[in-house]
Structures are given as C-alpha cells and as structure tokens.
Amino acid sequence: MTKSALAIATALLISGNVQADQSLQTSMEEGKGVIKAFFGDLKGELEKGMKQSGPVDTIASCNIVAPSLAAGHSQMSGWEVGRTSLKLRNQKNAPDAWEEAVLKEFETRKSAGEDPMKLIKAEIVEEGGREVFRMMKAIPTAEVCTKCHGETIAEPVAAKLDELYPSDKARGYKVGDLRGAFTLKKPM
Ligand code: HEC
C-alpha cells in the first residue's frame, strides 16, 4: 500500500469509529430516557401499592403490572424493555448470555468500588447477522425492596410469594446489593 493510500485507509477507519461512537452515544442517551420513564412508572406503582394496600396485595399487582409496564414501554419507545437478574423471581425475566455476562461484570465493578447507582453498559453487538444496540443499567436494592426481596420477609408476604413463585430465588438481598438490571435492546 502506498503512503497516501494508507493515510486514507487510516482516516476512514478513524472516522468510521467516530461515527460508531457517536451512534453509540446517541442510542445510550435515548436508552437512558427509556429506562427513566419505565423506572418512574414502576416506582410510582410500587409506592402507590405499598401505601394503599400493603405488600401482600402489591405482589399480586407487581405480578401483573411490572410485565405490562415493560410491554407498554417497549411499544411506546420501539425498544425491547425489561428487567433481569442473576437470582430470579420470575423465570420469564431470565438473562440471555450477553445479559448474564453484564450482570456478572456489574458485580465485579461494584466490588472494585464503582457506584452501583451508575453502573451502566452499552454495546453494539451482532445478532443473527444484524447490528443490535444493547444496554443495561444496574438496579441497586433500596430499603423498600427488602420487604419483598430482603433477608427476612414477613410471613403473609413470604406465603404470597411462595404461592405465585414456587422457585423464587430473589430473596436475601441487603440494601445496596445489586438486585438486577434494566435491559434494553434495539436494532441499529
Ligand atoms: C411488594 C413486593 C415487592 C417489592 C416491594 C419489590 N418487588 Fe421486585 N419483584 C416483586 C415481584 C412479585 C416480582 C416478579 C415480577 C414479575 O412477575 O415479572 C419482582 C421482580 C423484580 C425484578 C425482575 C427480576 C426477577 O427477579 O424476576 C427486579 C429487578 C426487581 N423486582 C427489583 C426490585 C427493586 C429494586 C425493588 C425496590 C425498589 C423491588 N423490586 C421491590 C415484588 C416486589
């Protein structure tokens, strides 16, 4: 290759990378907005439920409301929106290979001192010959979460969880632990 051809090839490679970086950044900002809206609705429903009817009835509504909110936000935004975890309550939220790797990476990064509120990962990956933008944001455990995901769960709450989720693994969390993550996906 001549020197100038090499220079052009290098320039193209660099501008290609810059473009990819820019579309990654743009998608990431968009994704953050989608997560914020989904999280806001979930939190609103949770707070309303806990205040008005207590944890036992809120479980029943989580069981229906959380998946339907995820579906609603997916439809609204054109993204696939969901929640996942390494220790699941609902098997339907099971992580795929990419998600499982990111959940483990979040645990490592948290152990290394990163702020769990800010753990985020975005990547353009190839799936079935197509480029797909994928993104996850960690969900740390707050005080209110321990009522249904904590180390000691009140009897009527535990009984309701046993009834709805016989293979529930999503218990034993302490405040600050990573409960799971939001997960988003969109074709590029
Ligand atoms: C009233 C009980 C209750 C409270 C309080 C609660 N959750 Fe849950 N959580 C549930 C139920 C029920 C499910 C299963 C929902 C479903 O079927 O998709 C669930 C599922 C999840 C999932 C999806 C992964 C999985 O295990 O299936 C995440 C992540 C999660 N909860 C995080 C939280 C966080 C963070 C908080 C606190 C802000 C919280 N939850 C508070 C009952 C609760």
Side-chain angles (χ1 to χ4, degrees), residues 58-108:
T58 306
I59 293 169
S61 93
C62 268
N63 177 254
I64 298 163
V65 169
S68 81
L69 278 179
H73 279 273
S74 299
Q75 211 169 27
M76 246 181 335
S77 62
W79 294 67
E80 246 177 69
V81 181
R83 293 183 304 168
T84 188
S85 175
L86 291 170
K87 292 201 296 166
L88 291 165
R89 175 148 292 165
N90 186 338
Q91 283 300 324
K92 288 192 186 133
N93 299 322
D96 67 12
W98 188 83
E99 290 166 331
E100 191 178 334
V102 175
L103 286 165
K104 287 178 179 161
E105 180 190 311
F106 283 168
E107 290 291 353
T108 311

Side-chain angles (χ1 to χ4, degrees), residues 39 42-43 46-47 49-50 54-68 82-94 139-149 157 160-161 164-165 168-171 173 177-182:
F39 182 53
L42 274 174
K43 211 170 140 216
L46 187 69
E47 279 165 5
M50 294 295 263
V56 177
D57 288 337
T58 306
I59 293 169
S61 93
C62 268
N63 177 254
I64 298 163
V65 169
S68 81
R83 293 183 304 168
T84 188
S85 175
L86 291 170
K87 292 201 296 166
L88 291 165
R89 175 148 292 165
N90 186 338
Q91 283 300 324
K92 288 192 186 133
N93 299 322
I139 313 175
T141 307
E143 186 70 47
V144 60
C145 320
T146 59
K147 293 223 164 23
C148 299
H149 294 293
V157 178
K160 189 77 196 173
L161 288 172
L164 287 171
Y165 304 97
D168 183 21
K169 301 269 186 306
R171 301 185 196 184
Y173 287 91
D177 285 348
L178 294 184
R179 170 61 192 93
F182 290 106

Side-chain angles (χ1 to χ4, degrees), residues 1 3 11-12 21 24 40 42 50 70 74 102 105 115 117 124-126 133 146-147 162 169 178:
M1 209 186 288
K3 222 175 179 177
L12 281 175
D21 275 359
L24 193 72
L42 274 174
M50 294 295 263
S74 299
V102 175
E105 180 190 311
D115 179 354
M117 300 298 291
I124 297 168
V125 299
E126 204 177 296
F133 175 82
T146 59
K147 293 223 164 23
D162 288 340
K169 301 269 186 306
L178 294 184

